[in-house]
């Protein structure tokens, strides 16, 4: 299985940049996902990495290093609506397509 | 826009009652999942299905059961609810033809057992 670690909470001001780190241990690796979850709502897909490197989507970027078992999600030009929990999730190659193991999430608080 | 629906959104019931949480998706996805999430905690997979008449237990043991008689429908049932079942239950689906295999989640069913 996987052990997934990410910080519990991070605080940043509006307009700033925040980097959320995620480390994982897996017996096999087949993709890493980042989801955003606002309080009381369903998680929504943000990004997917399966090869090493950086994937950029607007204000959000995600980086993966498979050799280090490490990923980060970068949120730029923070807005108040970015206050949410950010979930790191890993799929390993033992499991069939789609089964994900989730971290506990990082609560990002954006202050004015 | 994902089209996956869960009912009820909120349910408060007494111990010993039988409950069914409904989940339906209109995307034609073959794979469906049930995750359980307590406040501030990680999502735990409790059931999944790769197609009609296919169901498997997930990583977290659960007293609930599921069925998959139709592609679009994946209900979860608790025969006799207990306070320990109080949690949020999230249904999700994914399609085999999608490159990433990302999950689309419903809005969740928050269950409170008194």
């Amino acid at each position: 299985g996987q052990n997934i670690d990410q910080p519990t909470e991070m605080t940043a001001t509006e307009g700033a940049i925040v980097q959320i780190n995620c480390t994982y241990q897996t017996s096999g690796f087949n993709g890493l996902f980042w989801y955003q979850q606002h309080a009381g709502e369903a998680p929504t897909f943000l990004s997917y990495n399966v090869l090493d490197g950086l994937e950029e989507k607007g204000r959000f970027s995600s980086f993966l290093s498979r050799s280090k078992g490490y990923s980060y999600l970068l949120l730029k030009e923070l807005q108040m609506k970015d206050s949410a929990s950010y979930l790191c999730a890993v799929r390993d190659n033992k499991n069939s397509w789609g089964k994900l193991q989730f971290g506990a999430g990082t609560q990002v608080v954006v202050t004015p | 826009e994902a089209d996956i629906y869960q009912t009820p959104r909120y349910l408060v019931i007494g111990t010993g009652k039988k409950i069914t949480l409904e989940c339906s998706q209109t995307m034609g996805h073959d794979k469906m999942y049930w995750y359980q999430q307590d406040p501030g905690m990680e999502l735990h997979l409790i059931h999944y299905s790769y197609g009609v008449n296919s169901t498997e237990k997930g990583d977290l043991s659960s007293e609930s059961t599921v069925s998959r008689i139709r592609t679009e429908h994946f209900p979860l049932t608790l025969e006799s609810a207990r306070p320990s079942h109080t949690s949020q239950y999230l249904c999700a689906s994914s399609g085999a033809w999608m490159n990433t295999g990302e999950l689309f989640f419903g809005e969740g069913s928050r269950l409170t057992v008194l």
Side-chain angles (χ1 to χ4, degrees):
Chain A
Q2 301 95 339
N3 294 316
I4 301 173
D5 292 311
Q6 50 182 130
T8 303
E9 185 171 315
M10 302 181 75
T11 301
T13 54
E14 207 171 1
I17 298 172
V18 70
Q19 177 175 314
I20 306 168
N21 296 325
C22 172
T23 58
Y24 63 88
Q25 295 174 310
T26 179
S27 51
F29 177 82
N30 194 16
L32 186 142
F33 297 77
W34 285 96
Y35 282 81
Q36 180 191 59
Q37 186 178 26
H38 286 100
E41 297 182 12
T44 55
F45 171 75
L46 287 179
S47 68
Y48 168 73
N49 296 72
V50 68
L51 300 176
D52 291 350
L54 188 69
E55 294 283 341
E56 296 187 81
K57 288 173 71 173
R59 295 188 299 113
F60 295 81
S61 304
S62 58
F63 171 83
L64 175 67
S65 169
R66 289 172 295 171
S67 61
K68 294 181 176 153
Y70 168 71
S71 172
Y72 68 72
L73 179 70
L74 195 69
L75 286 62
K76 293 177 277 192
E77 300 170 21
L78 278 174
Q79 301 175 10
M80 298 299 291
K81 68 178 182 179
D82 297 330
S83 291
S85 183
Y86 291 84
L87 312 178
C88 175
V90 173
R91 180 173 62 214
D92 74 38
N93 58 20
K94 286 194 314 171
N95 289 323
S96 298
W97 194 255
K99 283 177 62 181
L100 302 183
Q101 187 91 17
F102 283 84
T106 298
Q107 185 68 42
V108 170
V109 177
V110 181
T111 60
Chain B
E1 188 75 20
D3 295 306
I4 179 165
Y5 307 100
Q6 290 186 239
T7 57
R9 291 287 313 278
Y10 303 93
L11 180 63
V12 180
I13 59 169
T15 297
K17 299 291 186 184
K18 177 180 178 179
I19 64 114
T20 296
L21 304 180
E22 303 286 350
C23 177
S24 294
Q25 50 95 6
T26 57
M27 297 173 282
H29 287 169
D30 54 339
K31 297 176 178 57
M32 297 188 74
Y33 314 82
W34 278 102
Y35 282 86
Q36 185 175 342
Q37 184 182 34
D38 292 323
M41 304 295 288
E42 60 261 50
L43 283 77
H44 289 287
L45 182 68
I46 51 174
H47 297 284
Y48 62 99
S49 167
Y50 289 148
V52 171
N53 294 325
S54 154
T55 62
E56 299 285 344
K57 288 191 177 295
D59 303 320
L60 181 68
S61 176
S62 174
E63 293 166 343
S64 58
T65 59
V66 292
S67 62
R68 189 89 183 275
I69 299 172
R70 303 198 315 266
T71 298
E72 63 272 19
H73 195 215
F74 190 41
L76 180 146
T77 298
L78 275 166
E79 289 293 332
S80 179
R82 294 204 299 270
S84 60
H85 296 139
T86 294
S87 188
Q88 170 154 267
Y89 295 85
L90 288 160
C91 181
S93 70
S94 66
W97 58 86
M98 297 167 64
N99 289 335
T100 65
E102 72 192 72
L103 301 182
F104 292 92
F105 284 89
E107 292 189 309
S109 293
R110 187 168 295 279
L111 173 66
T112 302
V113 184
L114 304 175

